[in-house]
Amino acid sequence: MGDNRRVNTEPVSETTSLTKALLARVQAAIVAAGGWLPFDRFMAMALYEPGLGYYTNTTPKFGHLPQGKGGEGSDFVTAPELTSVFGHTVARQVAEALVATGTSEVWEFGAGTGALALQVLDALAAMGQTPERYTIVDLSGSLRKRQRAALAAHSDVVHWVDVLPETMSGVVLGNEVLDAMPVQLLARINGAWFERGVALDSQQQLQWADSPTGLRPPLDIAGPQDYLTEIHPQAEAFVRTLAERLHRGAAFFIDYGFPEAEYFHPQRHMGTLICHRAHQTDHQPLTDLGLKDITAHVNFTGVALAAQDAGMSVLGYTSQGRFLINCGLIDVARDAGPRENAMMQKLVNEHEMGELFKVLAFAPAASADNWAPMGFAAGDRIHRL
């Protein structure tokens, strides 16, 4: 990118052979790219490089504690791992959507440990609405292995695929999927915009490097202050691809994030990029490659617009807490014990997951007619997208 790059050093830790191997791949990619790698390409390698990336290697990811039985630790916990009440409640929306759209298959992207799939399938079976197929799309071989073990009781209906078919139908689920898709970083410094990427210092260690760019956030950022943020072309491209192929059914995505006006608020000047490891967070994605999750909050306005541009109708947008209550969380948890009820509070309380996490649903126009999903019956926030 020539002499216009701005550089600041952040050396990388080399604590494991996995990290060293992945670092070598990243170093080679930087050299091949002419000395500068856009952050989204770096993030894709850090998370998904075959056998080495965070989501493709064999290190444990999901769990309640940083150190578990047998010495196996975890980095973070998702809603299905907190309590089965989550999946049992989501299953009510799935059951309604299957009937309303006249479909018989459930698709789940990024199924993690298989906990959500197990909860949904158990609940659907109890309702007498077991789908003909439950198809999981997951790039991680190690997680697929865990999913097969967890879902052994439903092996007759669960299937795995690597790529999407040209056409598909059914109810799509994605819990904490969009946040793990690579993002581009934009930095406004002294009034000029740069794309932030990764380069090598004189010791061949990773460091940040900024290159002048014509890219801009979708909203003007008021004020003269320096500003760092993310844009999400890969997540939006994924949604457009899904929209083009889903000819009948509905899609529900649950994730943490904001509508556009909040995402690009002038006060959010440090962006939302964050790393998770051992149930702690940091802001150093260039360290401990392959050993930590790298994630950014979701711009739900951008996702909704991508779906609309591909011909979909937005069915609803609300907080996770409101969505779960609308779907009958209280009834589902009525006979749960004290621990389950305590975990349930984390799902809905505003200072926990209830407000930060949102639910966005969309469907092909033919599947959206004369149907309002129960999850958005009260508190729908489409007008805020």
Side-chain angles (χ1 to χ4, degrees):
M1 287 295 179
D3 296 331
N4 292 324
R5 284 203 303 266
R6 299 166 49 89
V7 171
N8 61 289
T9 301
E10 183 179 301
V12 69
S13 159
E14 293 187 356
T15 57
T16 70
S17 59
L18 185 153
T19 294
K20 290 179 181 179
L22 183 53
L23 174 60
R25 297 263 186 101
V26 172
Q27 289 168 330
I30 292 172
V31 172
W36 183 84
L37 203 64
F39 182 79
D40 59 334
R41 288 186 59 193
F42 164 80
M43 184 173 171
M45 294 187 72
L47 296 183
Y48 303 111
E49 184 71 9
L52 297 174
Y54 180 77
Y55 281 109
T56 58
N57 65 44
T58 59
T59 60
K61 282 95 178 155
F62 306 91
H64 286 269
L65 299 172
Q67 190 68 30
K69 293 181 180 179
E72 292 187 357
S74 65
D75 295 321
F76 55 87
V77 64
T78 62
E81 276 86 36
L82 279 176
T83 170
S84 61
V85 169
F86 178 79
H88 292 166
T89 304
V90 170
R92 290 188 166 200
Q93 179 63 89
V94 173
E96 180 196 57
L98 287 168
V99 172
T101 62
T103 57
S104 58
E105 184 169 5
V106 178
W107 295 77
E108 185 181 354
F109 287 88
T113 62
L116 178 58
L118 179 61
Q119 293 160 17
V120 169
L121 283 167
D122 283 349
L124 290 176
M127 299 177 204
Q129 288 187 243
T130 299
E132 292 182 8
R133 289 172 64 95
Y134 193 108
T135 301
I136 293 174
V137 186
D138 204 309
L139 300 177
S140 172
S142 61
L143 289 177
R144 279 194 184 195
K145 185 176 180 181
R146 292 187 67 177
Q147 293 158 14
R148 289 184 189 278
L151 297 167
H154 299 282
S155 60
D156 55 330
V157 298
V158 180
H159 303 268
W160 285 262
V161 297
D162 294 314
V163 296
L164 292 181
E166 289 302 313
T167 62
M168 54 189 287
S169 65
V171 176
V172 175
L173 294 176
N175 182 58
E176 295 198 47
V177 171
L178 298 175
D179 68 82
M181 295 189 177
V183 297
Q184 289 177 273
L185 296 182
L186 299 183
R188 185 177 67 188
I189 301 171
N190 296 325
W193 282 100
F194 300 86
E195 182 175 4
R196 181 152 294 177
V198 183
L200 300 175
D201 66 14
S202 60
Q203 303 300 314
Q204 297 299 295
Q205 300 302 297
L206 302 185
Q207 64 180 3
W208 292 114
D210 297 336
S211 179
T213 183
L215 295 171
R216 296 291 185 272
L219 297 181
D220 289 334
I221 309 300
Q225 73 277 18
D226 288 353
Y227 197 89
L228 178 66
T229 192
E230 308 89 22
I231 55 175
H232 304 254
Q234 291 202 31
E236 292 166 12
F238 161 75
V239 169
R240 283 192 293 270
T241 298
L242 176 61
E244 290 164 0
R245 301 188 183 194
L246 186 67
H247 66 88
R248 191 158 50 95
F252 297 84
F253 286 96
I254 306 169
D255 225 314
Y256 43 88
F258 312 100
E260 199 166 73
E262 294 180 42
Y263 200 102
F264 300 105
H265 193 282
Q267 293 181 351
R268 200 179 301 283
H269 62 94
M270 294 304 294
T272 72
L273 192 75
I274 196 167
C275 303
H276 297 270
R277 185 181 183 188
H279 292 259
Q280 297 184 356
T281 61
D282 67 65
H283 298 276
Q284 300 178 32
L286 306 191
T287 66
D288 300 325
L289 299 191
L291 301 180
K292 62 171 72 172
D293 187 23
I294 306 172
T295 177
H297 286 46
V298 177
N299 171 11
F300 281 102
T301 303
V303 172
L305 288 173
Q308 283 188 334
D309 289 346
M312 305 289 272
S313 296
V314 176
L315 299 175
Y317 168 71
T318 193
S319 67
Q320 174 179 286
R322 174 55 63 184
F323 179 84
L324 293 174
I325 290 171
N326 287 340
C327 290
L329 175 70
I330 306 304
D331 288 339
V332 172
R334 193 175 302 280
D335 297 324
R339 181 193 174 281
E340 290 296 302
N341 277 289
M343 294 298 102
M344 181 188 71
Q345 296 299 319
K346 292 180 177 290
L347 300 179
V348 298
N349 283 345
E350 290 189 359
H351 65 283
E352 298 273 4
M353 300 173 71
E355 178 58 33
L356 178 60
F357 280 70
K358 312 295 194 309
V359 185
L360 176 69
F362 51 85
S367 296
D369 293 342
N370 303 314
W371 176 52
M374 65 169 66
F376 309 100
D380 193 355
R381 303 179 183 179
I382 284 182
H383 61 285
R384 292 177 58 180
L385 284 172

